[in-house]
């Protein structure tokens, strides 16, 4: 891994099931994440993904790329455009800095209406110990 490396894009279809399952898994029972009618009453056109689900998807993106020994050290993200059902979020990343076995990756997740998530992830990839 070297600074400037581009991670391949990851397309994630945003389904109602993903939004609701993510909210339930993270114990976020706010109605805007599972009840379309109540979300509309609160000014949203539909239910939308919560930040904890987004955080998990960003983590998955990084560990899928760096492998099963990768350790997330810091995840600093900010939400922008909501992820609504029927859209697709495309995660992209670029290695910004490398210090030994630790890298900082700039991540962007964009959907049809803009940038859903932006931020950085610091990840450590321990050196391979080889066969025992």
């Amino acid at each position: 891994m070297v600074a400037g490396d581009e991670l391949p894009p990851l397309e994630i279809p945003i389904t109602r099931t993903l939004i609701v399952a993510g909210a339930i898994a993270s114990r976020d029972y706010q109605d805007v994440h599972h009840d379309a009618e109540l979300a509309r009453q609160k000014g949203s056109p539909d239910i939308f993904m919560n930040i904890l689900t987004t955080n998990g998807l960003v983590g998955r993106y990084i560990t899928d790329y760096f492998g099963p020994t990768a350790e997330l050290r810091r995840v600093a993200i900010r939400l922008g455009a909501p992820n609504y059902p029927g859209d697709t979020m495309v995660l992209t990343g670029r290695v910004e800095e490398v210090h030994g076995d630790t890298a900082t990756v700039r991540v962007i997740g964009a959907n049809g209406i803009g940038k859903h998530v932006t931020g950085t992830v610091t990840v450590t990839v321990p050196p391979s110990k080889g066969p025992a």
Side-chain angles (χ1 to χ4, degrees):
M1 80 185 134
V2 296
D5 283 354
E6 299 279 340
L7 282 63
L10 175 63
E11 292 188 10
I12 300 173
I14 307 302
T15 64
R16 288 185 184 284
T17 300
L18 176 61
I19 293 169
V20 173
I24 291 169
S26 61
R27 297 181 180 183
D28 183 347
Y29 304 115
Q30 291 191 38
D31 51 24
V32 294
H33 303 307
H34 65 85
D35 188 316
E37 183 55 37
L38 289 175
R40 281 190 283 278
Q41 288 176 17
K42 293 181 177 181
S44 178
D46 206 335
I47 63 172
F48 54 91
M49 184 175 286
N50 72 355
I51 192 169
L52 296 170
T53 303
T54 299
N55 195 63
L57 292 170
V58 167
R60 167 196 162 194
Y61 178 56
I62 297 299
T63 58
D64 280 359
Y65 179 76
F66 286 98
T69 62
E71 298 172 10
L72 302 179
R73 296 297 185 180
R74 182 173 183 270
V75 178
I77 61 172
R78 172 170 284 197
L79 292 184
N83 266 341
Y84 294 118
D87 206 343
T88 299
M89 178 174 64
V90 179
L91 289 167
T92 56
R94 182 177 188 278
V95 177
E96 296 287 309
E97 297 178 9
V98 177
H99 299 286
D101 59 0
T102 301
T104 301
V105 181
R106 167 123 345 250
V107 176
I108 297 172
N111 60 33
I113 56 177
K115 291 180 182 175
H116 169 68
V117 63
T118 56
T120 58
V121 178
T122 303
V123 58
T124 298
V125 183
S128 174
K129 294 181 180 170

